[in-house]
Amino acid sequence: MASMRLAHVDSQDFNRAKAEFDQTKAGVKGILDSGILKIPNIFIHPPENLLNNPFPGEYSPNLQVPMIDLEGFEGGKEVKISEIRKASEEWGIFQLVNHGIPVSVLDEMIKGVQVFHEQPKEVKMKWYSREHKQQVKFYSNGDLYESKAVNWRDSVSCHYADGALDPNALPLVSRRAIQNYMERIINLKNTLAELLSEALGLDTNYLESMDCMKTATLVCHYYPSCPEPDLTLGATKHSDPSFLTILLQDGIGGLQVLQRNQWVDVKPVKGALIVNIGDLLQLVSNDKFKSVEHRVLAAPIGPRISAACFFYPSTANNSKPYGPIKELVTDEGGPIYRETDHKEFMSYYRLKGLDGTSSLSYFKL
Ligand code: OGA
Ligand code: NI
């Protein structure tokens, strides 16, 4: 079906269609609001991207993303740390409850993202940009011109260089929600950096002292409902090019992780945050922790709202080399990766596009 709809489109038409979509500055929501019943061809993904279970026969229906409850964590820190270690080694992702951030802050954040995306087109268009230098911007598909198929989602990104962003740079309709959320998320990241350091068997302050999670980019996604959800995706399979990602999702669902060759739903849990290991933490941990591959399905219902906060090295240090941590390199195995810096890693990641392959293999020794 998908391939039939694509058969007669050549790549020149495709690039023109992408550019026309970009020029509307209205994103995917703009397409939906125009009243279409069929999605434009640029959104149609190849059938192999859409498969539910790529390797039939090995399906275990009961797999679930680990849930970590930080309640009472001072009393039983060792237990929490070993849970985090196991989740980071086996899954590269876990849900976190009782993390100390009130549900009201999370709910306000979801609402804050929704109101931005649901403003009149004319207001939103002013934020539309692909400029790396612009701190706050609205766009659809960061890899629009690199990817083969376009994703059914729009985004707003906010860049916190070394953890700071002038609140006046944020859109007024979402300002308070984002400020309150980010203040808490940055604190939680500091706690997680300690827990993850200990989970790796390192000193509590090890990751913090590496300056590897100082800068944050908050990306606030809006996945409109889709009239043909079986032909497209909200987000193609990828792993995050960060050290660590903290994700908030609303109650709609659609996020999936690839675990033991099958797609596992990351079920929405009220009040929970999702934590996932990024490619760079996999690299410095010498493959002890895994950067999880994930995707987002399109749905006939929506919108689905989420906010992903990516943590990576201090901006001043974007040429600082990071390689496998020496304490984690065993004498027998040796380092798996060469050193790289965040700038080089990102240029490779962008060049490659969200094509479903891992960037990490490029840095293997
Ligand atoms: C991402 C991502 C998942 C989601 O932004 O990298 O994977 O649920 N988002 O929006
Ligand atoms: Ni991601």
Side-chain angles (χ1 to χ4, degrees):
M1 170 73 173
S3 49
M4 270 171 56
R5 285 266 304 268
L6 272 178
H8 48 272
V9 179
D10 73 36
S11 72
Q12 227 180 351
D13 286 348
F14 231 74
N15 286 335
R16 195 177 314 121
K18 283 178 174 181
E20 281 169 11
F21 165 64
D22 208 14
Q23 280 150 20
T24 67
K25 302 187 177 185
V28 173
K29 185 170 187 303
I31 295 183
L32 186 70
D33 290 347
S34 74
I36 52 117
L37 297 174
K38 283 192 176 297
I39 64 173
N41 281 335
I42 53 169
F43 291 93
I44 299 178
H45 284 247
E48 63 272 19
N49 283 12
L50 301 162
L51 288 179
N52 220 354
N53 188 2
F55 304 95
E58 298 170 21
Y59 188 64
S60 338
N62 298 325
L63 283 182
Q64 269 199 39
V65 173
M67 176 70 75
I68 296 185
D69 183 347
L70 284 187
E71 180 100 80
F73 117 80
E74 284 307 332
K77 202 173 171 193
E78 283 314 310
V79 177
K80 304 298 175 200
I81 286 169
S82 74
E83 286 175 10
I84 290 174
R85 177 186 307 117
K86 191 164 187 288
S88 306
E89 287 175 354
E90 291 175 9
W91 284 79
I93 189 166
F94 49 89
Q95 302 225 44
L96 200 58
V97 290
N98 294 313
H99 40 62
I101 306 182
V103 178
S104 59
V105 172
L106 307 183
D107 287 348
E108 287 298 318
M109 178 63 188
I110 296 283
K111 261 191 246 156
V113 175
Q114 183 162 10
V115 294
F116 178 87
H117 285 279
E118 294 183 353
Q119 294 177 101
K121 191 169 83 181
E122 298 69 31
V123 178
K124 243 174 23 172
M125 277 169 77
K126 300 198 179 93
W127 294 91
Y128 198 88
S129 170
R130 293 188 182 278
E131 278 297 313
H132 278 313
K133 293 223 163 67
Q134 193 168 318
Q135 286 180 302
V136 178
K137 55 182 180 269
F138 163 55
Y139 57 92
S140 184
N141 286 261
D143 64 346
L144 181 67
Y145 296 105
E146 289 81 32
S147 66
K148 290 194 189 80
V150 184
N151 287 324
W152 196 258
R153 78 168 173 193
D154 298 330
S155 311
V156 174
S157 72
C158 312
H159 184 71
Y160 288 70
D162 290 337
L165 173 65
D166 176 359
N168 294 316
L170 292 167
L172 189 56
V173 285
S174 324
R175 190 172 296 165
R176 278 182 65 105
I178 294 179
Q179 270 185 283
N180 289 336
Y181 181 74
M182 281 303 284
E183 196 180 302
R184 305 276 193 154
I185 286 295
I186 288 171
N187 280 332
L188 179 62
K189 177 267 297 183
N190 291 334
T191 304
L192 284 168
E194 295 185 4
L195 293 170
L196 289 164
S197 297
E198 293 193 33
L200 285 167
L202 303 166
D203 289 343
T204 313
N205 293 321
Y206 201 103
L207 289 173
E208 157 71 25
S209 67
M210 279 172 68
D211 276 348
C212 61
M213 303 191 209
K214 271 230 166 105
T215 287
T217 299
L218 174 71
V219 187
C220 307
H221 299 299
Y222 186 93
Y223 301 82
S225 64
C226 181
E228 294 185 293
D230 298 338
L231 297 184
T232 189
L233 284 170
T236 326
K237 177 176 92 167
H238 67 283
S239 55
D240 292 344
S242 55
F243 269 84
L244 192 72
T245 306
I246 304 179
L247 178 83
L248 169 67
Q249 66 168 338
D250 71 5
I252 299 268
L255 174 63
Q256 298 186 316
V257 297
L258 195 58
Q259 168 74 344
R260 295 194 230 157
N261 287 335
Q262 77 185 57
W263 287 110
V264 177
D265 293 325
V266 184
K267 299 214 169 83
V269 174
K270 183 82 179 162
L273 288 161
I274 296 155
V275 178
N276 68 275
I277 306 296
D279 290 342
L280 289 163
L281 189 47
Q282 176 168 341
L283 186 148
V284 301
S285 77
N286 209 36
D287 275 355
K288 189 164 161 61
F289 285 177
K290 295 284 157 21
S291 173
V292 69
E293 293 196 294
H294 50 287
R295 69 176 184 183
V296 181
L297 300 178
I301 51 162
R304 173 179 184 268
I305 313 278
S306 70
C309 190
F310 304 100
F311 291 98
Y312 50 90
S314 153
T315 312
N317 280 345
N318 75 354
S319 314
K320 176 177 169 169
Y322 287 97
I325 292 171
K326 58 181 188 312
E327 287 86 342
L328 303 180
V329 175
T330 56
D331 292 339
E332 315 92 72
I336 297 169
Y337 301 100
R338 67 168 174 89
E339 285 188 336
T340 182
D341 58 57
H342 191 245
K343 205 167 153 191
E344 184 197 27
F345 192 85
M346 283 315 293
S347 9
Y348 180 70
Y349 187 87
R350 288 206 187 94
L351 183 77
K352 195 181 68 62
L354 282 188
D355 67 351
T357 63
S358 165
S359 301
L360 273 175
S361 51
Y362 178 78
F363 297 93
K364 278 209 164 126
L365 284 170

